[in-house]
């Protein structure tokens, strides 16, 4: 996933700054068409704006203006007579697309996400996240008290997890594991895929009670529901015991080092003697010359929750504090890697 492309050399500096500063408007437009479910409405073929507006309960003039702009973003194709069709990229905004990112795009447009970025400079000044100063309470309390926003967030995380599920299952040999615990696993999409590919394994899905309350469908879909236990709790206090593999997918980057150390320590206390911790994450490049997307993700974590997109060296240091050691890092498909740790 590319966030911003390199600037063509012929663009003067002022124009490039304007282009970069306006990129938040692009995100807002993409989020708007995702929230309106325009791609779903165009799934069966091209339609004129008046017809679309009736179905979407939208103003036809303003809907046209939005779709016209998004056609320049290559999400749609504008045809004669104010008719629009889905372009190839826009297909990924369909709710039923296998690579759907609709809910992630919706999340980017929520006040919880968008308004937090307005405090980025303060985060740099203070060295702390700004979510509480912007929204009045820490991020996880906010989610607890705003269930509709939390639901969009959970769906957005499912979107991003969906894109790594197949590559992560293929990239690692799970055949020796008997009990796989997915820590902070949401609705269990990755765990379901791991169990489907490894019939010898049992699974435990562990997340906050209100999150796992919506789990179950993923396991039934692939026929592994009889091999799964669903458990709710707080991984800062404890995690289910006895696993020989603990999956931690896009979780640790939400937490600053001290709390990330606590999470890993709880896993070490619970894991089998010869167990493995498998962290699926986007690892910060070591050379500092690549990875704009990762660096922007790091800023997002910084502003929201004092989180960090960690480098290999940072993982080594964090593991050591939790009584673990880095054993290897494997490519996990796309930007993600599988960071494996064992008991020190």
């Amino acid at each position: 996933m590319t966030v911003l492309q390199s600037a063509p050399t012929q663009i003067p500096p002022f124009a490039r700054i304007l282009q970069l500063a306006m990129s938040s408007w692009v995100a807002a437009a993409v989020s708007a068409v995702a929230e309106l479910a325009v791609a779903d409405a165009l799934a069966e073929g091209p339609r004129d704006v008046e017809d679309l507006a009736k179905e979407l309960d939208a103003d036809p003039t303003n809907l046209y203006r939005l779709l016209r702009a998004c056609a320049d973003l290559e999400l749609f194709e504008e045809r004669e007579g104010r008719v629009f069709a889905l372009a190839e990229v826009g297909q990924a905004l369909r709710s039923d697309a296998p690579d759907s990112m609709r809910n992630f795009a919706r999340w980017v447009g929520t006040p919880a996400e968008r308004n937090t970025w307005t405090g980025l400079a303060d985060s740099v000044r203070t060295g702390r996240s700004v979510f509480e100063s912007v929204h009045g309470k820490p991020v996880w309390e906010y989610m607890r008290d705003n269930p509709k926003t939390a639901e969009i967030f959970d769906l957005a995380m499912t979107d991003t997890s969906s894109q790594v599920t197949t590559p992560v299952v293929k990239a690692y040999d799970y055949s020796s594991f008997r009990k796989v615990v997915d820590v902070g696993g949401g609705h269990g999409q990755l765990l379901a895929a791991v169990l489907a590919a490894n019939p010898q394994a049992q699974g435990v899905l562990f997340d906050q009670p209100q999150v796992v309350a919506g789990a179950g469908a993923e396991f039934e879909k692939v026929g592994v529901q009889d091999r799964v236990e669903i458990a709710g709790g707080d991984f800062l206090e404890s995690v289910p015991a006895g696993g020989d593999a603990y999956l931690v997918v896009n979780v640790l980057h939400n937490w600053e080092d001290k709390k990330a150390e606590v999470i890993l320590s709880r896993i070490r206390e619970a894991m089998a003697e010869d167990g493995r911790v498998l962290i699926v994450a986007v690892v910060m490049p070591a050379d500092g010359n690549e990875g704009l997307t990762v660096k922007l993700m790091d800023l997002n974590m910084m502003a929201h929750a004092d989180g960090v997109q960690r480098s290999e060296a940072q993982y080594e240091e964090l593991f050591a504090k939790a009584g673990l050691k880095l054993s290897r890092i494997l490519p996990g498909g796309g930007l993600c890697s599988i960071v494996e740790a064992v008991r020190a």
Side-chain angles (χ1 to χ4, degrees), residues 91 169-170 210 241 265 278 282 308:
Q91 295 286 347
V169 173
K170 290 182 177 179
Q210 68 270 25
S265 296
L278 306 176
V282 180
V308 185

Side-chain angles (χ1 to χ4, degrees), residues 1 18 27 48 80 137 254 271-272 287 311 329 331 334 341:
M1 179 176 66
L18 182 63
D48 66 70
E80 187 177 352
K137 57 188 69 176
N254 291 314
M271 66 194 287
D287 58 19
S311 65
I329 297 180

Side-chain angles (χ1 to χ4, degrees), residues 131-133 135-146:
F131 193 96
E132 184 172 3
S133 65
H135 300 283
K137 57 188 69 176
V139 59
W140 304 119
E141 288 184 23
Y142 181 94
M143 291 297 185
R144 180 197 64 201
D145 296 339
N146 293 271

Side-chain angles (χ1 to χ4, degrees), residues 27 59 102 159 168 184 207 254 279 305:
D59 177 81
R102 182 195 169 209
D159 276 0
V168 166
D207 210 319
N254 291 314
I279 297 172

Side-chain angles (χ1 to χ4, degrees), residues 23-251:
S23 62
S24 65
W25 301 356
V26 172
V30 175
S31 184
V33 294
E35 182 62 32
L36 291 166
V38 174
D40 289 352
L42 290 174
E44 299 300 320
R47 297 173 66 178
D48 66 70
V49 165
E50 294 288 339
D51 185 34
L52 274 176
K54 289 178 183 177
E55 178 176 333
L56 301 177
D57 192 25
D59 177 81
T61 299
N62 283 357
L63 179 61
Y64 172 72
R65 294 165 72 182
L66 175 62
L67 298 188
R68 176 180 62 185
C70 288
D72 281 6
L73 299 175
E74 300 180 344
L75 299 179
F76 310 108
E77 296 174 3
E78 182 177 4
R79 300 180 180 177
E80 187 177 352
R82 306 212 316 177
V83 170
F84 287 88
L86 270 180
E88 182 179 358
V89 175
Q91 295 286 347
L93 286 173
R94 289 174 53 178
S95 300
D96 60 353
D99 59 348
S100 177
M101 293 296 288
R102 182 195 169 209
N103 288 306
F104 186 84
R106 291 176 67 209
W107 163 249
V108 168
T110 62
E113 167 68 11
R114 182 169 298 281
N115 292 353
T116 304
W117 277 87
T118 65
L120 184 62
D122 286 337
S123 183
V124 174
R125 290 188 186 103
T126 64
R128 302 298 300 174
S129 68
V130 292
F131 193 96
E132 184 172 3
S133 65
V134 172
H135 300 283
K137 57 188 69 176
V139 59
W140 304 119
E141 288 184 23
Y142 181 94
M143 291 297 185
R144 180 197 64 201
D145 296 339
N146 293 271
K148 290 184 178 179
T149 299
E151 180 183 10
I152 295 174
F153 175 76
D154 290 339
L155 291 170
M157 296 305 99
T158 298
D159 276 0
T160 57
S161 295
S162 298
Q163 309 318 313
V164 303
T165 295
T166 299
V168 166
V169 173
K170 290 182 177 179
Y172 192 90
D173 182 5
Y174 302 85
S175 62
S176 65
F177 299 135
R178 293 294 177 265
K179 185 176 181 180
V180 179
V181 183
D182 193 350
V183 178
H187 289 176
Q189 187 172 51
L190 178 58
L191 180 60
V194 168
L195 295 180
N198 295 273
Q200 84 289 344
Q202 302 288 317
V204 181
L205 176 66
F206 182 73
D207 210 319
Q208 298 176 77
Q210 68 270 25
V211 175
V212 295
E218 290 292 335
F219 304 116
E220 293 178 3
K221 185 163 61 177
V222 296
V224 299
Q225 64 273 20
D226 294 339
R227 291 191 279 131
V228 178
E229 174 189 350
I230 297 176
D234 182 352
F235 51 43
L236 290 169
E237 296 180 0
S238 66
V239 300
D244 48 6
Y246 283 79
L247 289 171
V248 187
V249 183
N250 289 329
V251 168

